[in-house]
Amino acid sequence: MKHADKTKHTFKTTAPKNIVVFGATGDVGREVVTEAMMRGHQVTAIARNTDRLASLPETVTRRQVDILESPDLVAGIMAEHDIAISAVRPASGQEQLLATMTECLLTAACQTGTPIYITGGAATLKLADNSGHTVLSAPDFLPDAVRPIAQACATQDALFDQYDDVQWTCLRPPAMLFAGDKTRQYVRGTDTLIPDHDGMARISYADFGVAMVDILEAGDNPQRRLTVGYQNATSAA
């Protein structure tokens, strides 16, 4: 299976944006903050506990906010920024809160007119074997331990169609996100997992952060579900 847009992604000459990142202490959030800052954007990092943001450069603004407890504050912060990014993930055992947090952010984006880029999940992506199954529906594809977050991501994904008046973009990771190098090389797709040379769908947190910032800088049409992954020359042939 071929996928379009296999390139080495480099910094673009784009006007700096004022970006707010919700969920900035997570594996994805930290990479998005770092990548956006490296490209010259002004970044505000939002977390429930800003102590975990201590390692960030002083140029990053830190705000301690509980999204669910302070929805009006969320909207006020979003109104002060050009772009919002959500990298929120609930704690283990509270997976059902993902949809609630996402709904809060989408509502704030609706109120303020702020474009929002949301980290989704792989649950609703189709397998690359033409079976018609998704990551969530395929028998024996997911370990039981990750099914709760996968089901939460499917519920999150269903929310987007309820917000026709919001400039949302959902970037869904492949089946495997891991701590690895930043290569700036990845393939972009839409509704199907992108397999690497060994059939696994994967990308590092670092390159997922690159992809998120690439997409927001491109300023493409909103209301799209996208995905990314690695795919080497052998599997792409």
Side-chain angles (χ1 to χ4, degrees), residues 38-79:
M38 286 175 61
R39 300 197 197 188
H41 299 292
Q42 179 61 49
V43 181
T44 299
I46 305 295
R48 283 179 296 178
N49 184 352
T50 53
D51 290 345
R52 296 176 61 189
L53 300 174
S55 62
L56 293 176
E58 293 182 359
T59 54
V60 176
T61 301
R62 300 160 179 78
R63 295 286 299 272
Q64 187 162 308
V65 179
D66 187 311
I67 293 171
L68 296 181
E69 289 187 0
S70 308
D72 292 340
L73 181 57
V74 169
I77 292 171
M78 204 177 286

Side-chain angles (χ1 to χ4, degrees), residues 32 109 121:
V32 170

